[in-house]
């Protein structure tokens, strides 16, 4: 039963990882750049939720609804102020720009909030769960996180497949120059993609803060996990992002079941195995060589 419980907890953890990786995958798929500030933007979202919840005396869930539009505007500012200029000189320039932004964000958060860890108080939801037998419990917060991850990824899939902005995003991701020729404003599309990506990062940071403690320095670690999820699931596949999150989460919790020291190592081992034996990811498409 302990092994079953480890797998269940891994699925719950995988929901958080899928949320973290969603925005990273979207931005890479559209702009062809890895946003190295993604983890720190998620931490920023968590702190904004914490400040709003404490200041207004509201539930963190209501605070999340207020923070999401703010994070979307941060994404637009990121694209218009930094990425649009950096992308003109190459993909490496945009990576370096987001790396610099990550350092700035982390140090600003350290100055404002100090290095102390904190968490979002969601009351009894953080400890209650569905009890199945004597040793198996499914936490309600974990179920909610997985449901939000599935809903978010499903909503994005519908957005990309059924709406005008979604078709514009897919066309720009495939070939921005050709999309411009048929009247698509790639600058506007990039702004939409950045807004969605940063908003989902803030959402991921908030849900992480509800289940665990967080601090200004946790951004790089979450960026690493998000990157591993994207690679495991397959670049360009939203449902692959969900699958990758589940695989990484289960690997870490099962590894911890063997020995607590193996938790993170087991996740990295799965990541390396996917790179070695299926580099296109679990649900990614193998690219043909020309």
């Amino acid at each position: 039963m302990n092994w079953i419980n480890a797998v269940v907890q891994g699925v719950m953890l995988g929901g958080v990882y899928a949320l973290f990786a969603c925005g990273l995958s979207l931005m890479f798929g559209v702009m062809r750049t890895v946003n190295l500030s993604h983890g720190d933007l998620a931490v920023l979202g968590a702190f904004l939720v914490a400040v709003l919840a404490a200041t207004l005396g509201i539930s963190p869930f209501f605070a999340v609804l207020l923070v999401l539009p703010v994070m979307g505007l941060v994404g637009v500012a990121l694209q218009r102020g930094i990425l649009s200029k950096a992308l003109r000189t190459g993909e490496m320039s945009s990576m370096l720009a987001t790396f610099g932004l990550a350092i700035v964000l982390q140090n600003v958060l350290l100055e404002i909030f100090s290095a102390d860890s904190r968490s979002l108080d969601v009351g009894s939801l953080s400890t209650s769960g569905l009890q199945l037998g004597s040793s198996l419990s499914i936490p309600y917060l974990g179920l909610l996180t997985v449901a939000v991850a599935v809903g978010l990824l499903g909503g994005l899939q519908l957005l990309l497949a059924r709406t005008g902005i979604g078709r514009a995003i897919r066309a720009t991701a495939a070939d921005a120059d050709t999309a411009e020729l048929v009247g698509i404003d790639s600058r506007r599309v990039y702004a939409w993609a950045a807004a969605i990506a940063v908003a989902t990062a803030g959402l991921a940071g908030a849900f992480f803060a509800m289940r665990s403690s967080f601090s200004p320095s946790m951004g790089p670690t979450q960026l690493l996990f998000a990157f591993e999820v994207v690679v495991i699931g397959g670049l360009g596949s939203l449902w692959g992002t969900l699958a990758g999150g589940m695989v990484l989460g289960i690997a870490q919790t099962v590894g911890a079941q063997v020995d607590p020291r193996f938790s993170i190592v087991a996740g990295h081992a799965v990541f390396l195995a996917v790179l070695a034996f299926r580099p296109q990811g679990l649900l990614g498409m193998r690219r043909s060589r020309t």
Side-chain angles (χ1 to χ4, degrees):
M1 187 63 76
N2 288 335
W3 291 102
I4 297 176
N5 190 60
V7 171
V8 170
Q9 298 305 317
V11 171
M12 304 295 105
L13 179 59
V16 179
Y17 287 160
L19 286 176
F20 270 109
C22 177
L24 189 68
S25 178
L26 180 64
M27 188 168 286
F28 178 83
V30 177
M31 300 186 202
R32 295 292 187 268
T33 185
V34 177
N35 179 13
L36 296 181
S37 65
H38 187 79
D40 295 285
L41 287 168
V43 177
L44 173 63
F47 274 107
L48 288 177
V49 171
V51 169
L52 275 180
T55 303
L56 302 179
I58 58 177
S59 164
F61 292 107
F62 289 116
V64 167
L65 297 178
L66 298 177
V67 166
L68 287 181
V70 176
M71 294 300 293
L73 292 176
V74 171
V76 174
L78 169 64
Q79 194 280 325
R80 295 283 174 89
I82 298 177
L83 292 180
S84 63
K85 299 176 182 178
L87 283 170
R88 295 172 191 163
T89 57
E91 296 173 1
M92 183 59 69
S93 296
S94 63
M95 289 181 62
L96 292 174
T98 57
F99 176 68
L101 177 61
I103 295 174
V104 170
L105 279 175
Q106 189 172 143
N107 282 276
V108 168
L109 291 174
L110 278 169
E111 283 292 325
I112 297 175
F113 298 104
S114 79
D116 295 339
S117 297
R118 64 195 72 198
S119 61
L120 291 176
D121 183 13
V122 291
S124 61
L125 186 64
S126 61
T127 55
S128 59
L130 181 63
Q131 195 70 33
L132 301 176
S134 58
S135 59
L136 178 60
S137 177
I138 303 178
Y140 290 135
L141 181 59
L143 284 174
L144 177 62
T145 304
V146 172
V148 169
V150 172
L152 174 64
L153 291 166
L156 284 177
Q157 190 70 49
L158 288 174
L159 174 73
L160 294 175
R162 303 287 181 86
T163 67
I165 184 63
R167 288 188 288 271
I169 289 175
R170 287 188 287 118
T172 304
D175 191 328
D177 293 334
T178 303
E180 288 275 4
L181 291 176
V182 297
I184 295 175
D185 185 354
S186 61
R187 188 167 177 264
R188 182 185 177 194
V189 170
Y190 287 157
W192 271 103
I196 296 171
V198 174
T200 57
L203 181 66
F207 271 91
F208 180 89
M210 292 176 191
R211 59 170 287 140
S212 181
S213 60
F214 67 100
S215 68
S217 60
M218 79 168 206
T221 301
Q222 300 310 314
L223 171 66
L224 174 61
F225 291 153
F227 181 74
E228 290 184 343
V229 167
V230 171
V231 173
I232 292 171
L235 295 174
S237 172
L238 288 176
W239 292 121
T241 300
L242 181 63
M246 298 303 172
V247 169
L248 183 63
I250 291 172
Q252 289 184 356
T253 53
V254 170
Q257 184 67 27
V258 176
D259 190 308
R261 295 173 298 176
F262 293 161
S263 174
I264 305 301
V265 174
H268 295 335
V270 169
F271 167 67
L272 290 175
V274 171
L275 279 180
F277 298 107
R278 191 175 172 82
Q280 74 271 28
L282 299 179
L283 299 182
M285 300 295 291
R286 185 184 295 273
R287 295 184 179 180
S288 59
R289 296 181 180 179
T290 57

